[in-house]
Amino acid sequence: KNQVEQSPQSLIILEGKNCTLQCNYTVSPFSNLRWYKQDTGRGPVSLTIMTFSENTKSNGRYTATLDADTKQSSLHITASQLSDSASYICVVRNGYNKLIFGAGTRLAVHP
Amino acid sequence: DAGVTQSPTHLIKTRGQQVTLRCSPKSGHDTVSWYQQALGQGPQFIFQYYEEEERQRGNFPDRFSGHQFPNYSSELNVNALLLGDSALYLCASSAMGQYEQYFGPGTRLTVT
């Protein structure tokens, strides 16, 4: 069954600290994996997209990793800011052009 | 260049009523997908339109229907509303064959 599981479900960190969000998937065949940031009540905004051959991709303070062998991805946020408070959603596209969404990790950055 | 736009931003309906949500895709995009996102959950795929036809459909009942117009804009219609239909409805556009999908701001539907 195609599934995307994210952990933790929610996370609270202090401003300036780093954090890592996890995504495990059982999607097959795999096409690509994306991380989205979604502010409350808004549409998701793409942070990174990674294909099978890519291990690491950065977008400013966001760095995503992909291990296609273990079917795991992580999103690392460096030097967190208050504006990083949002839900982070992992989305995997399968070979049939279907997107499978994770439930998201809700991150709260406190001053 | 305007991104994906949706209207209205917020809507309140009564159980049993019908609702129509609208979406205009990003310039240059010809494919529109609709998603339902319940509070605290990830988006659930409803259907996708390309060339004015429904190309893919998720696990949603026939109460959910859609349409795509020649200018690529799209509508989502929901009949016989249930309380459980309360959610954020997201529209996303893309160019057929391209990986990147851009989301609109969503329409918050509340069914009372």
Side-chain angles (χ1 to χ4, degrees), chain A residues 32 34 36 38 41 43-44 46 49 93 97 99 101-102, chain B residues 35 37 41-43 56 88 90 99-101 103-105:
Chain A
N32 60 58
R34 319 158 189 232
Y36 284 93
Q38 184 176 24
S46 178
I49 179 171
R93 181 187 291 274
N97 207 32
L99 296 180
F101 287 76
Chain B
Y35 297 85
Q37 186 177 25
Q41 300 296 316
Q56 294 186 53
L88 180 68
L90 296 166
Y99 286 154
E100 195 62 62
Q101 193 172 66
F103 284 86

mmCIF file with all atom_site columns, all heavy atoms in Angstrom, chain A residues 32 34 36 38 41 43-44 46 49 93 97 99 101-102, chain B residues 35 37 41-43 56 88 90 99-101 103-105:
data_model
loop_
_atom_site.group_PDB
_atom_site.id
_atom_site.type_symbol
_atom_site.label_atom_id
_atom_site.label_alt_id
_atom_site.label_comp_id
_atom_site.label_asym_id
_atom_site.label_entity_id
_atom_site.label_seq_id
_atom_site.pdbx_PDB_ins_code
_atom_site.Cartn_x
_atom_site.Cartn_y
_atom_site.Cartn_z
_atom_site.occupancy
_atom_site.B_iso_or_equiv
_atom_site.pdbx_formal_charge
_atom_site.auth_seq_id
_atom_site.auth_comp_id
_atom_site.auth_asym_id
_atom_site.auth_atom_id
_atom_site.pdbx_PDB_model_num
ATOM 1   N N   . ASN A 1 32  ? 9.426   10.896 -7.528  1.00 0.00 ? 32  ASN A N   1
ATOM 2   C CA  . ASN A 1 32  ? 10.145  11.962 -6.838  1.00 0.00 ? 32  ASN A CA  1
ATOM 3   C C   . ASN A 1 32  ? 9.515   12.248 -5.478  1.00 0.00 ? 32  ASN A C   1
ATOM 4   O O   . ASN A 1 32  ? 8.429   11.754 -5.170  1.00 0.00 ? 32  ASN A O   1
ATOM 5   C CB  . ASN A 1 32  ? 10.219  13.238 -7.690  1.00 0.00 ? 32  ASN A CB  1
ATOM 6   C CG  . ASN A 1 32  ? 8.851   13.790 -8.025  1.00 0.00 ? 32  ASN A CG  1
ATOM 7   O OD1 . ASN A 1 32  ? 8.058   14.093 -7.145  1.00 0.00 ? 32  ASN A OD1 1
ATOM 8   N ND2 . ASN A 1 32  ? 8.568   13.944 -9.301  1.00 0.00 ? 32  ASN A ND2 1
ATOM 9   N N   . ARG A 1 34  ? 8.889   15.478 -2.569  1.00 0.00 ? 34  ARG A N   1
ATOM 10  C CA  . ARG A 1 34  ? 8.927   16.915 -2.328  1.00 0.00 ? 34  ARG A CA  1
ATOM 11  C C   . ARG A 1 34  ? 8.623   17.197 -0.874  1.00 0.00 ? 34  ARG A C   1
ATOM 12  O O   . ARG A 1 34  ? 7.884   16.454 -0.230  1.00 0.00 ? 34  ARG A O   1
ATOM 13  C CB  . ARG A 1 34  ? 7.845   17.628 -3.153  1.00 0.00 ? 34  ARG A CB  1
ATOM 14  C CG  . ARG A 1 34  ? 7.652   17.148 -4.543  1.00 0.00 ? 34  ARG A CG  1
ATOM 15  C CD  . ARG A 1 34  ? 6.265   17.541 -5.019  1.00 0.00 ? 34  ARG A CD  1
ATOM 16  N NE  . ARG A 1 34  ? 5.969   16.899 -6.285  1.00 0.00 ? 34  ARG A NE  1
ATOM 17  C CZ  . ARG A 1 34  ? 5.540   17.550 -7.355  1.00 0.00 ? 34  ARG A CZ  1
ATOM 18  N NH1 . ARG A 1 34  ? 5.354   18.839 -7.326  1.00 0.00 ? 34  ARG A NH1 1
ATOM 19  N NH2 . ARG A 1 34  ? 5.290   16.899 -8.468  1.00 0.00 ? 34  ARG A NH2 1
ATOM 20  N N   . TYR A 1 36  ? 6.979   20.345 1.332   1.00 0.00 ? 36  TYR A N   1
ATOM 21  C CA  . TYR A 1 36  ? 6.226   21.585 1.260   1.00 0.00 ? 36  TYR A CA  1
ATOM 22  C C   . TYR A 1 36  ? 6.153   22.216 2.647   1.00 0.00 ? 36  TYR A C   1
ATOM 23  O O   . TYR A 1 36  ? 6.100   21.516 3.662   1.00 0.00 ? 36  TYR A O   1
ATOM 24  C CB  . TYR A 1 36  ? 4.785   21.338 0.795   1.00 0.00 ? 36  TYR A CB  1
ATOM 25  C CG  . TYR A 1 36  ? 4.600   21.070 -0.676  1.00 0.00 ? 36  TYR A CG  1
ATOM 26  C CD1 . TYR A 1 36  ? 4.591   19.762 -1.171  1.00 0.00 ? 36  TYR A CD1 1
ATOM 27  C CD2 . TYR A 1 36  ? 4.399   22.107 -1.576  1.00 0.00 ? 36  TYR A CD2 1
ATOM 28  C CE1 . TYR A 1 36  ? 4.393   19.509 -2.512  1.00 0.00 ? 36  TYR A CE1 1
ATOM 29  C CE2 . TYR A 1 36  ? 4.193   21.862 -2.925  1.00 0.00 ? 36  TYR A CE2 1
ATOM 30  C CZ  . TYR A 1 36  ? 4.186   20.562 -3.380  1.00 0.00 ? 36  TYR A CZ  1
ATOM 31  O OH  . TYR A 1 36  ? 3.984   20.311 -4.714  1.00 0.00 ? 36  TYR A OH  1
ATOM 32  N N   . GLN A 1 38  ? 3.579   24.653 4.785   1.00 0.00 ? 38  GLN A N   1
ATOM 33  C CA  . GLN A 1 38  ? 2.220   25.171 4.735   1.00 0.00 ? 38  GLN A CA  1
ATOM 34  C C   . GLN A 1 38  ? 1.934   25.990 5.985   1.00 0.00 ? 38  GLN A C   1
ATOM 35  O O   . GLN A 1 38  ? 1.856   25.450 7.086   1.00 0.00 ? 38  GLN A O   1
ATOM 36  C CB  . GLN A 1 38  ? 1.193   24.041 4.610   1.00 0.00 ? 38  GLN A CB  1
ATOM 37  C CG  . GLN A 1 38  ? -0.230  24.542 4.451   1.00 0.00 ? 38  GLN A CG  1
ATOM 38  C CD  . GLN A 1 38  ? -1.236  23.435 4.227   1.00 0.00 ? 38  GLN A CD  1
ATOM 39  O OE1 . GLN A 1 38  ? -1.013  22.295 4.610   1.00 0.00 ? 38  GLN A OE1 1
ATOM 40  N NE2 . GLN A 1 38  ? -2.361  23.771 3.597   1.00 0.00 ? 38  GLN A NE2 1
ATOM 41  N N   . GLY A 1 41  ? -3.878  27.715 7.351   1.00 0.00 ? 41  GLY A N   1
ATOM 42  C CA  . GLY A 1 41  ? -4.939  28.250 6.519   1.00 0.00 ? 41  GLY A CA  1
ATOM 43  C C   . GLY A 1 41  ? -4.509  28.669 5.130   1.00 0.00 ? 41  GLY A C   1
ATOM 44  O O   . GLY A 1 41  ? -5.287  29.291 4.405   1.00 0.00 ? 41  GLY A O   1
ATOM 45  N N   . GLY A 1 43  ? -2.181  27.658 1.328   1.00 0.00 ? 43  GLY A N   1
ATOM 46  C CA  . GLY A 1 43  ? -1.783  26.544 0.490   1.00 0.00 ? 43  GLY A CA  1
ATOM 47  C C   . GLY A 1 43  ? -0.320  26.190 0.695   1.00 0.00 ? 43  GLY A C   1
ATOM 48  O O   . GLY A 1 43  ? 0.486   27.030 1.092   1.00 0.00 ? 43  GLY A O   1
ATOM 49  N N   . PRO A 1 44  ? 0.052   24.925 0.453   1.00 0.00 ? 44  PRO A N   1
ATOM 50  C CA  . PRO A 1 44  ? 1.454   24.510 0.594   1.00 0.00 ? 44  PRO A CA  1
ATOM 51  C C   . PRO A 1 44  ? 2.355   25.200 -0.430  1.00 0.00 ? 44  PRO A C   1
ATOM 52  O O   . PRO A 1 44  ? 1.945   25.447 -1.561  1.00 0.00 ? 44  PRO A O   1
ATOM 53  C CB  . PRO A 1 44  ? 1.395   23.000 0.330   1.00 0.00 ? 44  PRO A CB  1
ATOM 54  C CG  . PRO A 1 44  ? -0.033  22.620 0.509   1.00 0.00 ? 44  PRO A CG  1
ATOM 55  C CD  . PRO A 1 44  ? -0.827  23.811 0.101   1.00 0.00 ? 44  PRO A CD  1
ATOM 56  N N   . SER A 1 46  ? 6.229   24.845 -2.167  1.00 0.00 ? 46  SER A N   1
ATOM 57  C CA  . SER A 1 46  ? 7.298   23.874 -2.353  1.00 0.00 ? 46  SER A CA  1
ATOM 58  C C   . SER A 1 46  ? 8.625   24.386 -1.808  1.00 0.00 ? 46  SER A C   1
ATOM 59  O O   . SER A 1 46  ? 9.013   25.534 -2.037  1.00 0.00 ? 46  SER A O   1
ATOM 60  C CB  . SER A 1 46  ? 7.442   23.563 -3.846  1.00 0.00 ? 46  SER A CB  1
ATOM 61  O OG  . SER A 1 46  ? 8.503   22.653 -4.066  1.00 0.00 ? 46  SER A OG  1
ATOM 62  N N   . ILE A 1 49  ? 12.411  19.523 -4.253  1.00 0.00 ? 49  ILE A N   1
ATOM 63  C CA  . ILE A 1 49  ? 11.943  18.341 -4.965  1.00 0.00 ? 49  ILE A CA  1
ATOM 64  C C   . ILE A 1 49  ? 13.156  17.494 -5.295  1.00 0.00 ? 49  ILE A C   1
ATOM 65  O O   . ILE A 1 49  ? 14.178  18.034 -5.751  1.00 0.00 ? 49  ILE A O   1
ATOM 66  C CB  . ILE A 1 49  ? 11.136  18.704 -6.225  1.00 0.00 ? 49  ILE A CB  1
ATOM 67  C CG1 . ILE A 1 49  ? 10.693  17.445 -6.964  1.00 0.00 ? 49  ILE A CG1 1
ATOM 68  C CG2 . ILE A 1 49  ? 11.925  19.637 -7.127  1.00 0.00 ? 49  ILE A CG2 1
ATOM 69  C CD1 . ILE A 1 49  ? 9.707   17.726 -8.086  1.00 0.00 ? 49  ILE A CD1 1
ATOM 70  N N   . ARG A 1 93  ? 5.622   11.307 -5.285  1.00 0.00 ? 93  ARG A N   1
ATOM 71  C CA  . ARG A 1 93  ? 4.944   11.014 -6.556  1.00 0.00 ? 93  ARG A CA  1
ATOM 72  C C   . ARG A 1 93  ? 5.346   9.618  -6.998  1.00 0.00 ? 93  ARG A C   1
ATOM 73  O O   . ARG A 1 93  ? 6.532   9.302  -7.043  1.00 0.00 ? 93  ARG A O   1
ATOM 74  C CB  . ARG A 1 93  ? 5.331   12.030 -7.618  1.00 0.00 ? 93  ARG A CB  1
ATOM 75  C CG  . ARG A 1 93  ? 4.630   11.793 -8.980  1.00 0.00 ? 93  ARG A CG  1
ATOM 76  C CD  . ARG A 1 93  ? 5.175   12.736 -10.043 1.00 0.00 ? 93  ARG A CD  1
ATOM 77  N NE  . ARG A 1 93  ? 4.803   14.110 -9.808  1.00 0.00 ? 93  ARG A NE  1
ATOM 78  C CZ  . ARG A 1 93  ? 3.677   14.675 -10.207 1.00 0.00 ? 93  ARG A CZ  1
ATOM 79  N NH1 . ARG A 1 93  ? 2.788   13.958 -10.864 1.00 0.00 ? 93  ARG A NH1 1
ATOM 80  N NH2 . ARG A 1 93  ? 3.432   15.952 -9.966  1.00 0.00 ? 93  ARG A NH2 1
ATOM 81  N N   . ASN A 1 97  ? 2.103   8.866  -11.721 1.00 0.00 ? 97  ASN A N   1
ATOM 82  C CA  . ASN A 1 97  ? 1.788   10.294 -11.635 1.00 0.00 ? 97  ASN A CA  1
ATOM 83  C C   . ASN A 1 97  ? 0.804   10.627 -10.529 1.00 0.00 ? 97  ASN A C   1
ATOM 84  O O   . ASN A 1 97  ? 0.110   11.639 -10.603 1.00 0.00 ? 97  ASN A O   1
ATOM 85  C CB  . ASN A 1 97  ? 1.255   10.809 -12.979 1.00 0.00 ? 97  ASN A CB  1
ATOM 86  C CG  . ASN A 1 97  ? 1.539   12.289 -13.162 1.00 0.00 ? 97  ASN A CG  1
ATOM 87  O OD1 . ASN A 1 97  ? 2.540   12.789 -12.683 1.00 0.00 ? 97  ASN A OD1 1
ATOM 88  N ND2 . ASN A 1 97  ? 0.648   12.966 -13.848 1.00 0.00 ? 97  ASN A ND2 1
ATOM 89  N N   . LEU A 1 99  ? 0.181   11.620 -6.530  1.00 0.00 ? 99  LEU A N   1
ATOM 90  C CA  . LEU A 1 99  ? 0.859   12.187 -5.371  1.00 0.00 ? 99  LEU A CA  1
ATOM 91  C C   . LEU A 1 99  ? 0.295   11.572 -4.099  1.00 0.00 ? 99  LEU A C   1
ATOM 92  O O   . LEU A 1 99  ? -0.913  11.505 -3.918  1.00 0.00 ? 99  LEU A O   1
ATOM 93  C CB  . LEU A 1 99  ? 0.670   13.700 -5.323  1.00 0.00 ? 99  LEU A CB  1
ATOM 94  C CG  . LEU A 1 99  ? 1.281   14.514 -6.456  1.00 0.00 ? 99  LEU A CG  1
ATOM 95  C CD1 . LEU A 1 99  ? 1.007   15.998 -6.249  1.00 0.00 ? 99  LEU A CD1 1
ATOM 96  C CD2 . LEU A 1 99  ? 2.779   14.275 -6.541  1.00 0.00 ? 99  LEU A CD2 1
ATOM 97  N N   . PHE A 1 101 ? 0.421   12.077 -0.062  1.00 0.00 ? 101 PHE A N   1
ATOM 98  C CA  . PHE A 1 101 ? 0.785   13.083 0.927   1.00 0.00 ? 101 PHE A CA  1
ATOM 99  C C   . PHE A 1 101 ? 0.958   12.460 2.300   1.00 0.00 ? 101 PHE A C   1
ATOM 100 O O   . PHE A 1 101 ? 0.185   11.579 2.708   1.00 0.00 ? 101 PHE A O   1
ATOM 101 C CB  . PHE A 1 101 ? -0.314  14.149 1.033   1.00 0.00 ? 101 PHE A CB  1
ATOM 102 C CG  . PHE A 1 101 ? -0.381  15.092 -0.131  1.00 0.00 ? 101 PHE A CG  1
ATOM 103 C CD1 . PHE A 1 101 ? -0.926  14.703 -1.338  1.00 0.00 ? 101 PHE A CD1 1
ATOM 104 C CD2 . PHE A 1 101 ? 0.092   16.388 -0.009  1.00 0.00 ? 101 PHE A CD2 1
ATOM 105 C CE1 . PHE A 1 101 ? -0.995  15.574 -2.410  1.00 0.00 ? 101 PHE A CE1 1
ATOM 106 C CE2 . PHE A 1 101 ? 0.021   17.275 -1.076  1.00 0.00 ? 101 PHE A CE2 1
ATOM 107 C CZ  . PHE A 1 101 ? -0.527  16.866 -2.273  1.00 0.00 ? 101 PHE A CZ  1
ATOM 108 N N   . GLY A 1 102 ? 1.946   12.955 3.038   1.00 0.00 ? 102 GLY A N   1
ATOM 109 C CA  . GLY A 1 102 ? 2.031   12.657 4.451   1.00 0.00 ? 102 GLY A CA  1
ATOM 110 C C   . GLY A 1 102 ? 1.098   13.574 5.214   1.00 0.00 ? 102 GLY A C   1
ATOM 111 O O   . GLY A 1 102 ? 0.561   14.538 4.663   1.00 0.00 ? 102 GLY A O   1
ATOM 112 N N   . TYR B 2 35  ? -7.792  19.200 -4.067  1.00 0.00 ? 35  TYR B N   1
ATOM 113 C CA  . TYR B 2 35  ? -7.512  18.443 -2.854  1.00 0.00 ? 35  TYR B CA  1
ATOM 114 C C   . TYR B 2 35  ? -8.421  18.910 -1.720  1.00 0.00 ? 35  TYR B C   1
ATOM 115 O O   . TYR B 2 35  ? -8.792  20.085 -1.657  1.00 0.00 ? 35  TYR B O   1
ATOM 116 C CB  . TYR B 2 35  ? -6.059  18.641 -2.408  1.00 0.00 ? 35  TYR B CB  1
ATOM 117 C CG  . TYR B 2 35  ? -5.032  18.138 -3.389  1.00 0.00 ? 35  TYR B CG  1
ATOM 118 C CD1 . TYR B 2 35  ? -4.597  18.935 -4.438  1.00 0.00 ? 35  TYR B CD1 1
ATOM 119 C CD2 . TYR B 2 35  ? -4.487  16.867 -3.252  1.00 0.00 ? 35  TYR B CD2 1
ATOM 120 C CE1 . TYR B 2 35  ? -3.651  18.474 -5.342  1.00 0.00 ? 35  TYR B CE1 1
ATOM 121 C CE2 . TYR B 2 35  ? -3.530  16.395 -4.149  1.00 0.00 ? 35  TYR B CE2 1
ATOM 122 C CZ  . TYR B 2 35  ? -3.124  17.213 -5.189  1.00 0.00 ? 35  TYR B CZ  1
ATOM 123 O OH  . TYR B 2 35  ? -2.179  16.749 -6.073  1.00 0.00 ? 35  TYR B OH  1
ATOM 124 N N   . GLN B 2 37  ? -8.410  19.111 2.436   1.00 0.00 ? 37  GLN B N   1
ATOM 125 C CA  . GLN B 2 37  ? -7.534  18.997 3.582   1.00 0.00 ? 37  GLN B CA  1
ATOM 126 C C   . GLN B 2 37  ? -8.311  19.252 4.863   1.00 0.00 ? 37  GLN B C   1
ATOM 127 O O   . GLN B 2 37  ? -8.685  20.390 5.157   1.00 0.00 ? 37  GLN B O   1
ATOM 128 C CB  . GLN B 2 37  ? -6.349  19.963 3.482   1.00 0.00 ? 37  GLN B CB  1
ATOM 129 C CG  . GLN B 2 37  ? -5.323  19.773 4.584   1.00 0.00 ? 37  GLN B CG  1
ATOM 130 C CD  . GLN B 2 37  ? -4.115  20.675 4.435   1.00 0.00 ? 37  GLN B CD  1
ATOM 131 O OE1 . GLN B 2 37  ? -4.199  21.733 3.815   1.00 0.00 ? 37  GLN B OE1 1
ATOM 132 N NE2 . GLN B 2 37  ? -2.982  20.267 4.989   1.00 0.00 ? 37  GLN B NE2 1
ATOM 133 N N   . GLN B 2 41  ? -4.634  17.415 9.000   1.00 0.00 ? 41  GLN B N   1
ATOM 134 C CA  . GLN B 2 41  ? -4.321  16.298 8.103   1.00 0.00 ? 41  GLN B CA  1
ATOM 135 C C   . GLN B 2 41  ? -3.635  16.800 6.842   1.00 0.00 ? 41  GLN B C   1
ATOM 136 O O   . GLN B 2 41  ? -3.659  17.985 6.529   1.00 0.00 ? 41  GLN B O   1
ATOM 137 C CB  . GLN B 2 41  ? -5.601  15.561 7.716   1.00 0.00 ? 41  GLN B CB  1
ATOM 138 C CG  . GLN B 2 41  ? -6.366  14.987 8.896   1.00 0.00 ? 41  GLN B CG  1
ATOM 139 C CD  . GLN B 2 41  ? -5.586  13.916 9.614   1.00 0.00 ? 41  GLN B CD  1
ATOM 140 O OE1 . GLN B 2 41  ? -4.980  13.046 8.985   1.00 0.00 ? 41  GLN B OE1 1
ATOM 141 N NE2 . GLN B 2 41  ? -5.576  13.965 10.939  1.00 0.00 ? 41  GLN B NE2 1
ATOM 142 N N   . GLY B 2 42  ? -3.016  15.865 6.120   1.00 0.00 ? 42  GLY B N   1
ATOM 143 C CA  . GLY B 2 42  ? -2.460  16.204 4.820   1.00 0.00 ? 42  GLY B CA  1
ATOM 144 C C   . GLY B 2 42  ? -3.564  16.268 3.776   1.00 0.00 ? 42  GLY B C   1
ATOM 145 O O   . GLY B 2 42  ? -4.652  15.744 3.973   1.00 0.00 ? 42  GLY B O   1
ATOM 146 N N   . PRO B 2 43  ? -3.309  16.931 2.660   1.00 0.00 ? 43  PRO B N   1
ATOM 147 C CA  . PRO B 2 43  ? -4.318  17.013 1.587   1.00 0.00 ? 43  PRO B CA  1
ATOM 148 C C   . PRO B 2 43  ? -4.654  15.638 1.019   1.00 0.00 ? 43  PRO B C   1
ATOM 149 O O   . PRO B 2 43  ? -3.788  14.787 0.908   1.00 0.00 ? 43  PRO B O   1
ATOM 150 C CB  . PRO B 2 43  ? -3.622  17.886 0.536   1.00 0.00 ? 43  PRO B CB  1
ATOM 151 C CG  . PRO B 2 43  ? -2.575  18.643 1.276   1.00 0.00 ? 43  PRO B CG  1
ATOM 152 C CD  . PRO B 2 43  ? -2.110  17.720 2.357   1.00 0.00 ? 43  PRO B CD  1
ATOM 153 N N   . GLN B 2 56  ? -7.828  11.837 -13.579 1.00 0.00 ? 56  GLN B N   1
ATOM 154 C CA  . GLN B 2 56  ? -7.591  10.949 -12.435 1.00 0.00 ? 56  GLN B CA  1
ATOM 155 C C   . GLN B 2 56  ? -8.581  11.325 -11.344 1.00 0.00 ? 56  GLN B C   1
ATOM 156 O O   . GLN B 2 56  ? -9.016  12.479 -11.268 1.00 0.00 ? 56  GLN B O   1
ATOM 157 C CB  . GLN B 2 56  ? -6.165  11.098 -11.865 1.00 0.00 ? 56  GLN B CB  1
ATOM 158 C CG  . GLN B 2 56  ? -5.055  10.662 -12.785 1.00 0.00 ? 56  GLN B CG  1
ATOM 159 C CD  . GLN B 2 56  ? -3.719  10.702 -12.086 1.00 0.00 ? 56  GLN B CD  1
ATOM 160 O OE1 . GLN B 2 56  ? -3.527  10.131 -11.001 1.00 0.00 ? 56  GLN B OE1 1
ATOM 161 N NE2 . GLN B 2 56  ? -2.771  11.389 -12.686 1.00 0.00 ? 56  GLN B NE2 1
ATOM 162 N N   . LEU B 2 88  ? -10.396 22.609 4.215   1.00 0.00 ? 88  LEU B N   1
ATOM 163 C CA  . LEU B 2 88  ? -9.731  23.552 3.316   1.00 0.00 ? 88  LEU B CA  1
ATOM 164 C C   . LEU B 2 88  ? -9.622  22.860 1.958   1.00 0.00 ? 88  LEU B C   1
ATOM 165 O O   . LEU B 2 88  ? -9.086  21.756 1.865   1.00 0.00 ? 88  LEU B O   1
ATOM 166 C CB  . LEU B 2 88  ? -8.339  23.909 3.844   1.00 0.00 ? 88  LEU B CB  1
ATOM 167 C CG  . LEU B 2 88  ? -7.507  24.894 3.026   1.00 0.00 ? 88  LEU B CG  1
ATOM 168 C CD1 . LEU B 2 88  ? -8.137  26.289 3.067   1.00 0.00 ? 88  LEU B CD1 1
ATOM 169 C CD2 . LEU B 2 88  ? -6.071  24.947 3.538   1.00 0.00 ? 88  LEU B CD2 1
ATOM 170 N N   . LEU B 2 90  ? -8.041  22.832 -1.629  1.00 0.00 ? 90  LEU B N   1
ATOM 171 C CA  . LEU B 2 90  ? -6.875  23.361 -2.323  1.00 0.00 ? 90  LEU B CA  1
ATOM 172 C C   . LEU B 2 90  ? -6.924  23.023 -3.800  1.00 0.00 ? 90  LEU B C   1
ATOM 173 O O   . LEU B 2 90  ? -7.291  21.910 -4.182  1.00 0.00 ? 90  LEU B O   1
ATOM 174 C CB  . LEU B 2 90  ? -5.591  22.785 -1.725  1.00 0.00 ? 90  LEU B CB  1
ATOM 175 C CG  . LEU B 2 90  ? -5.297  23.151 -0.273  1.00 0.00 ? 90  LEU B CG  1
ATOM 176 C CD1 . LEU B 2 90  ? -4.211  22.248 0.289   1.00 0.00 ? 90  LEU B CD1 1
ATOM 177 C CD2 . LEU B 2 90  ? -4.879  24.605 -0.175  1.00 0.00 ? 90  LEU B CD2 1
ATOM 178 N N   . TYR B 2 99  ? 7.055   18.191 -13.217 1.00 0.00 ? 99  TYR B N   1
ATOM 179 C CA  . TYR B 2 99  ? 6.979   17.747 -11.837 1.00 0.00 ? 99  TYR B CA  1
ATOM 180 C C   . TYR B 2 99  ? 6.328   18.769 -10.918 1.00 0.00 ? 99  TYR B C   1
ATOM 181 O O   . TYR B 2 99  ? 5.587   18.431 -10.008 1.00 0.00 ? 99  TYR B O   1
ATOM 182 C CB  . TYR B 2 99  ? 8.392   17.474 -11.295 1.00 0.00 ? 99  TYR B CB  1
ATOM 183 C CG  . TYR B 2 99  ? 9.035   16.212 -11.810 1.00 0.00 ? 99  TYR B CG  1
ATOM 184 C CD1 . TYR B 2 99  ? 10.418  16.102 -11.873 1.00 0.00 ? 99  TYR B CD1 1
ATOM 185 C CD2 . TYR B 2 99  ? 8.283   15.129 -12.229 1.00 0.00 ? 99  TYR B CD2 1
ATOM 186 C CE1 . TYR B 2 99  ? 11.028  14.944 -12.316 1.00 0.00 ? 99  TYR B CE1 1
ATOM 187 C CE2 . TYR B 2 99  ? 8.874   13.978 -12.686 1.00 0.00 ? 99  TYR B CE2 1
ATOM 188 C CZ  . TYR B 2 99  ? 10.252  13.886 -12.723 1.00 0.00 ? 99  TYR B CZ  1
ATOM 189 O OH  . TYR B 2 99  ? 10.861  12.743 -13.169 1.00 0.00 ? 99  TYR B OH  1
ATOM 190 N N   . GLU B 2 100 ? 6.651   20.049 -11.145 1.00 0.00 ? 100 GLU B N   1
ATOM 191 C CA  . GLU B 2 100 ? 6.281   21.059 -10.157 1.00 0.00 ? 100 GLU B CA  1
ATOM 192 C C   . GLU B 2 100 ? 4.797   21.359 -10.188 1.00 0.00 ? 100 GLU B C   1
ATOM 193 O O   . GLU B 2 100 ? 4.202   21.549 -11.241 1.00 0.00 ? 100 GLU B O   1
ATOM 194 C CB  . GLU B 2 100 ? 7.081   22.348 -10.396 1.00 0.00 ? 100 GLU B CB  1
ATOM 195 C CG  . GLU B 2 100 ? 7.027   23.303 -9.211  1.00 0.00 ? 100 GLU B CG  1
ATOM 196 C CD  . GLU B 2 100 ? 7.636   22.690 -7.957  1.00 0.00 ? 100 GLU B CD  1
ATOM 197 O OE1 . GLU B 2 100 ? 8.840   22.376 -7.965  1.00 0.00 ? 100 GLU B OE1 1
ATOM 198 O OE2 . GLU B 2 100 ? 6.888   22.521 -6.971  1.00 0.00 ? 100 GLU B OE2 1
ATOM 199 N N   . GLN B 2 101 ? 4.196   21.386 -9.004  1.00 0.00 ? 101 GLN B N   1
ATOM 200 C CA  . GLN B 2 101 ? 2.782   21.682 -8.848  1.00 0.00 ? 101 GLN B CA  1
ATOM 201 C C   . GLN B 2 101 ? 2.669   22.850 -7.883  1.00 0.00 ? 101 GLN B C   1
ATOM 202 O O   . GLN B 2 101 ? 3.242   22.825 -6.798  1.00 0.00 ? 101 GLN B O   1
ATOM 203 C CB  . GLN B 2 101 ? 2.064   20.454 -8.280  1.00 0.00 ? 101 GLN B CB  1
ATOM 204 C CG  . GLN B 2 101 ? 0.569   20.515 -8.355  1.00 0.00 ? 101 GLN B CG  1
ATOM 205 C CD  . GLN B 2 101 ? -0.073  19.193 -7.945  1.00 0.00 ? 101 GLN B CD  1
ATOM 206 O OE1 . GLN B 2 101 ? 0.025   18.794 -6.798  1.00 0.00 ? 101 GLN B OE1 1
ATOM 207 N NE2 . GLN B 2 101 ? -0.717  18.530 -8.880  1.00 0.00 ? 101 GLN B NE2 1
ATOM 208 N N   . PHE B 2 103 ? 0.339   25.349 -5.559  1.00 0.00 ? 103 PHE B N   1
ATOM 209 C CA  . PHE B 2 103 ? -0.934  25.373 -4.858  1.00 0.00 ? 103 PHE B CA  1
ATOM 210 C C   . PHE B 2 103 ? -1.476  26.788 -4.723  1.00 0.00 ? 103 PHE B C   1
ATOM 211 O O   . PHE B 2 103 ? -0.713  27.751 -4.575  1.00 0.00 ? 103 PHE B O   1
ATOM 212 C CB  . PHE B 2 103 ? -0.784  24.775 -3.456  1.00 0.00 ? 103 PHE B CB  1
ATOM 213 C CG  . PHE B 2 103 ? -0.694  23.280 -3.433  1.00 0.00 ? 103 PHE B CG  1
ATOM 214 C CD1 . PHE B 2 103 ? 0.524   22.642 -3.607  1.00 0.00 ? 103 PHE B CD1 1
ATOM 215 C CD2 . PHE B 2 103 ? -1.827  22.513 -3.257  1.00 0.00 ? 103 PHE B CD2 1
ATOM 216 C CE1 . PHE B 2 103 ? 0.611   21.263 -3.601  1.00 0.00 ? 103 PHE B CE1 1
ATOM 217 C CE2 . PHE B 2 103 ? -1.745  21.126 -3.243  1.00 0.00 ? 103 PHE B CE2 1
ATOM 218 C CZ  . PHE B 2 103 ? -0.536  20.508 -3.416  1.00 0.00 ? 103 PHE B CZ  1
ATOM 219 N N   . GLY B 2 104 ? -2.790  26.890 -4.733  1.00 0.00 ? 104 GLY B N   1
ATOM 220 C CA  . GLY B 2 104 ? -3.461  28.139 -4.426  1.00 0.00 ? 104 GLY B CA  1
ATOM 221 C C   . GLY B 2 104 ? -3.600  28.285 -2.919  1.00 0.00 ? 104 GLY B C   1
ATOM 222 O O   . GLY B 2 104 ? -3.246  27.388 -2.161  1.00 0.00 ? 104 GLY B O   1
ATOM 223 N N   . PRO B 2 105 ? -4.162  29.402 -2.471  1.00 0.00 ? 105 PRO B N   1
ATOM 224 C CA  . PRO B 2 105 ? -4.294  29.681 -1.046  1.00 0.00 ? 105 PRO B CA  1
ATOM 225 C C   . PRO B 2 105 ? -5.394  28.870 -0.371  1.00 0.00 ? 105 PRO B C   1
ATOM 226 O O   . PRO B 2 105 ? -5.443  28.786 0.850   1.00 0.00 ? 105 PRO B O   1
ATOM 227 C CB  . PRO B 2 105 ? -4.610  31.170 -0.996  1.00 0.00 ? 105 PRO B CB  1
ATOM 228 C CG  . PRO B 2 105 ? -5.260  31.443 -2.300  1.00 0.00 ? 105 PRO B CG  1
ATOM 229 C CD  . PRO B 2 105 ? -4.592  30.547 -3.303  1.00 0.00 ? 105 PRO B CD  1
#
